[in-house]
């Protein structure tokens, strides 16, 4: 794996030369990535929008107000729903991919990558065309006589989850496909030969074996869905408030930077807690 | 493995088949619907379109009426080009350093170089805006390049690292034993072998920059508008059918690039392995 077993007789001196190659990117990250976050943290400790007094007022205001706590909860919930929806759709597609011929697999990969490489703004726009009152879904439902009046799908959590499912699905699929292709077919065959049904084989053999791939995918989907500003603001509309739109509004509309900084750090903690929960799940699954 | 089919197995195959079908439909339909909508004759975004025309493409390519869009597209291309170029060089160097060392510190560095992939870049966008304003630097395209660079470098870093780990160390040892200098070995052996990996990463990084919303949202101004932000503005105000035409142009460009990249770098193989 690692090329640390470098050429025999590599002197420590040569090692240090190698290390320096990481310095340019490391410095860039230190200056343009780490430092801005420190400034963000610093600004969150101003007590007022004019940044004249220091104090914990912004933090207290955010974490004692039921409205803002609900925004945090809704953002988390949106991330979880996106993970659940992409999981339900991605697993069967990954199973089909595994059973497909190499030629078919290439076609499927293109189908999966295409949305991933299509702008998020465009995909959000597509869902407006689909979910609008005169959109594809409503026209189909009305033609089938399932509903007399067009349903309001835009500006609802359901519509947003549907759109995010399509937008994030490739992120779930890619790690799943990778791990499915690495899975030992013998284990699946053994399970079947011993009389387990396909259902049982899936839940008792395939699912546990592919869990690491799922965790990688779920991490990306969760992080992406909770920060999907454009989709949240355009499809969710003004009625549904999530952390990203709150950050935008507080920083660029109201100009309350300390409060926006608190909201930003809260989003960071929310995503990190989700990632940690998922990696803990992975470790827990390994040991049990 | 020929197995007798039990009702349970039939129900499993049916369930998997139906859900996979729905998944494919959900993945593909939006892209096709947008393209179909872009050829409509009317102002309204109706699907299926009542009539077909190139009217909106005409509007989009009109240099006067669509000047703001052209301007934003050029800005986006400029920023994506520079951010990808600089980010690729830095990432390749960093990946070379990290593969040669297997200390815990190298793993920590690797994790921090990849962190922008999962950390909310929206938080970073605001942080960058505050950082530059504290330093008293006015927003410009250069700041956008710096901000984009950080969030797209991981794409190149990841694919380059993957290519380097698959590199056979025996090749480099043989080269060294035959008296080649390290730089010569790098130029004649390492670089040609990892080039497809770098190219695939650079392609993804370029797309990610063209598509970036969170950083551009905070660092772009009216003078330095970026394409996705401009499109978002068009969606918020009036649902302009030109958005569908922009989508059509971008989708065709991406498809073309995907096919080209796949031929030269095995892009699809790299992304699914």
């Amino acid at each position: 794996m690692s090329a640390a077993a470098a050429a025999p007789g590599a002197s420590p001196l040569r090692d240090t030369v190698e290390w320096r190659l990481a310095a340019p990117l490391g410095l860039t990250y230190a200056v343009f990535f780490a430092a801005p976050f420190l400034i963000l943290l610093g600004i969150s400790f101003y007590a007022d929008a004019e940044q004249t007094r220091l104090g914990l007022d912004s933090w207290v205001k955010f974490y004692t107000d039921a409205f803002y706590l609900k925004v945090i909860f809704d953002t988390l919930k949106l991330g979880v729903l996106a993970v659940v929806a992409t999981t339900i759709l991605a697993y069967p597609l990954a199973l089909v991919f595994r059973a497909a011929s190499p030629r078919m697999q290439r076609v499927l990969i293109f189908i999966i990558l295409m949305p991933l490489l299509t702008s998020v703004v465009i995909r959000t726009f597509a869902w407006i065309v689909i979910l609008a009152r005169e959109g594809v879904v409503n026209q189909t439902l009305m033609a089938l006589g399932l509903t007399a009046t067009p349903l309001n799908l835009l500006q609802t959590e359901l519509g947003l989850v549907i759109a995010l499912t399509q937008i994030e699905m490739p992120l779930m699929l890619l790690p799943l496909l990778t791990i499915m292709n690495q899975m030992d077919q013998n284990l699946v065959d053994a399970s079947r030969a011993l009389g387990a049904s396909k259902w049982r084989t899936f839940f008792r053999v395939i699912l546990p074996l592919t869990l690491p791939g799922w965790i990688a995918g779920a991490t990306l989907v969760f992080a992406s869905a909770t920060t999907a500003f454009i989709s949240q603001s355009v499809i969710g509309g003004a009625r549904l408030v999530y952390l990203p739109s709150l950050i935008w509004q507080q920083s660029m509309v109201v100009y309350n930077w300390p409060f926006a900084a608190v909201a930003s750090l809260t989003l960071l903690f929310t995503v990190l807690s989700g990632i940690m929960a998922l990696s803990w799940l992975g470790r827990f699954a390994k040991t049990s | 493995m020929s197995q007798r089919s039990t009702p349970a197995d039939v129900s499993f195959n049916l369930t998997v088949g139906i859900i996979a079908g729905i998944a494919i439909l959900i993945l593909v339909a939006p892209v096709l619907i947008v393209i179909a909508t872009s050829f409509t004759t009317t102002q309204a975004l109706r699907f299926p379109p009542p009539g077909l025309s190139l009217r909106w493409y005409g509007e989009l390519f009109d240099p006067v009426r669509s000047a703001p869009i052209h301007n934003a597209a050029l800005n986006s291309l400029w920023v994506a080009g520079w951010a990808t170029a600089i980010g690729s060089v830095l990432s390749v160097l960093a990946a070379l350093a990290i593969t040669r060392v297997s200390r815990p510190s190298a793993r920590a560095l690797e994790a921090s170089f990849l962190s922008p992939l999962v950390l909310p870049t929206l938080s970073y966008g605001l942080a960058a805006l505050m950082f530059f304003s504290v330093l008293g630097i006015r927003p410009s395209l250069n700041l956008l390049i710096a901000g984009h660079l950080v969030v797209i470098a991981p794409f190149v870093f990841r694919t380059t690292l993957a290519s380097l780990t698959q590199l056979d160390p025996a090749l480099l040892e043989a080269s060294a034993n035959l008296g080649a200098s390290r730089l010569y070995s790098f130029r004649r052996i390492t670089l040609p072998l990892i080039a497809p990996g770098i190219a695939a990463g650079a392609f993804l990084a370029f797309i990610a920059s063209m598509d970036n919303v969170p950083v551009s949202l905070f660092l772009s101004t009216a003078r330095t508008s970026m394409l996705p932000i401009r499109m978002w503005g068009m969606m918020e105000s009036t649902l302009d059918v030109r958005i569908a035409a922009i989508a059509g142009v971008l989708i065709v460009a991406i498809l073309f690039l995907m096919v080209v990249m796949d031929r030269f770098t095995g892009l699809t193989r790299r992304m699914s392995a």
Side-chain angles (χ1 to χ4, degrees), chain B residues 143-222:
Chain B
L143 290 197
L144 279 158
I145 291 171
H148 277 221
L149 198 160
V150 172
V151 295
I152 67 169
F155 289 101
V156 188
F157 181 74
R158 204 172 46 175
T159 54
T160 310
L161 205 57
S163 306
L164 281 167
T165 47
Q166 285 163 359
L167 197 69
D168 186 355
L171 292 171
L172 293 175
E173 275 172 42
S175 171
N177 290 343
L178 293 168
S181 71
R182 301 187 63 153
L183 193 61
Y184 188 81
S185 294
F186 172 75
R187 227 181 49 220
R188 299 300 301 272
I189 296 171
T190 311
L191 195 56
L193 286 170
I194 63 170
I198 300 172
F203 172 70
L204 294 175
F206 187 85
I207 301 282
S209 170
M210 285 296 292
D211 195 22
N212 182 285
V213 171
V215 177
S216 302
L217 194 63
F218 292 102
L219 295 184
S220 67
T221 63

Side-chain angles (χ1 to χ4, degrees), chain A:
Chain A
M1 263 304 281
S2 81
S11 67
L13 181 72
R14 269 165 71 167
D15 221 21
T16 53
V17 174
E18 296 291 5
W19 262 117
R20 274 184 226 151
L21 291 176
L25 189 64
L27 277 174
T28 308
Y29 269 57
V31 173
F32 290 114
F33 195 63
F37 273 116
L38 288 176
I39 299 283
L40 182 77
L41 183 66
I43 286 183
S44 76
F45 293 117
Y46 278 112
D48 56 331
E50 293 73 35
Q51 302 179 35
T52 51
R53 289 183 303 111
L54 288 176
L56 289 172
D57 305 39
S58 306
W59 287 94
V60 171
K61 182 178 149 197
F62 196 95
Y63 282 92
T64 51
D65 188 324
F67 173 78
Y68 297 119
L69 292 176
K70 187 176 178 305
V71 171
I72 299 175
F73 175 78
D74 285 347
T75 308
L76 270 169
K77 186 173 144 202
L78 187 67
V80 171
L81 288 174
V83 169
V84 171
T86 49
T87 304
I88 292 171
L89 287 169
Y91 256 107
L93 189 51
L95 287 171
V96 168
F97 180 86
R98 186 178 152 79
S101 65
R103 173 182 287 261
M104 193 61 211
Q105 285 196 346
R106 281 181 67 88
V107 173
L108 282 172
I109 282 280
F110 254 85
I111 288 176
I112 292 160
L113 287 183
M114 188 67 216
L116 188 67
L117 298 176
T118 310
S119 162
V120 170
V121 186
I122 290 173
R123 282 181 281 156
T124 302
F125 174 76
W127 284 102
I128 292 176
V129 178
I130 297 168
L131 299 172
R133 291 183 70 84
E134 294 145 25
V136 185
V137 173
N138 272 320
Q139 287 196 11
T140 312
L141 289 176
M142 282 158 80
L144 293 172
L146 291 171
T147 172
T149 52
L151 302 176
N152 259 336
L153 294 165
L154 286 176
Q155 315 220 343
T156 63
E157 193 176 46
L158 175 69
L160 183 55
V161 170
I162 294 172
L164 282 177
T165 300
Q166 188 255 351
I167 290 170
E168 317 297 357
M169 200 168 14
L171 298 175
M172 175 64 86
L173 274 165
L174 288 174
L176 262 191
L177 296 185
T178 308
I179 201 148
M180 281 259 181
N181 272 350
Q182 293 165 351
M183 196 169 61
D184 187 354
Q185 182 63 36
N186 289 328
L187 294 168
V188 179
D189 290 344
S191 162
R192 301 279 291 130
L194 292 169
S197 73
K198 284 197 171 180
W199 286 104
R200 198 178 161 83
T201 303
F202 175 74
F203 284 109
R204 302 300 294 273
V205 180
I206 298 178
L207 203 58
L209 283 175
T210 53
L211 197 65
W214 178 81
I215 286 171
T219 303
L220 291 171
V221 170
F222 181 82
S224 225
T226 45
T227 28
F229 173 76
I230 297 270
S231 314
Q232 289 169 5
S233 75
V234 174
I235 297 172
R239 281 195 317 114
L240 300 174
V241 183
Y242 298 99
L243 281 170
S245 44
L246 185 70
I247 294 167
W248 163 255
Q249 186 223 348
Q250 290 294 329
S251 63
M252 307 306 268
V253 182
V254 187
Y255 286 108
N256 186 344
W257 276 20
F259 201 67
V262 172
S264 260
L265 289 162
T266 304
L267 177 63
L268 188 67
F269 301 150
T270 305
V271 171
L272 281 177
S273 60
I275 294 171
M276 280 175 182
L278 282 164
S279 67
W280 177 83
L281 187 74
R283 276 205 298 279
F284 175 77
K286 252 192 212 135
T287 50
S288 63

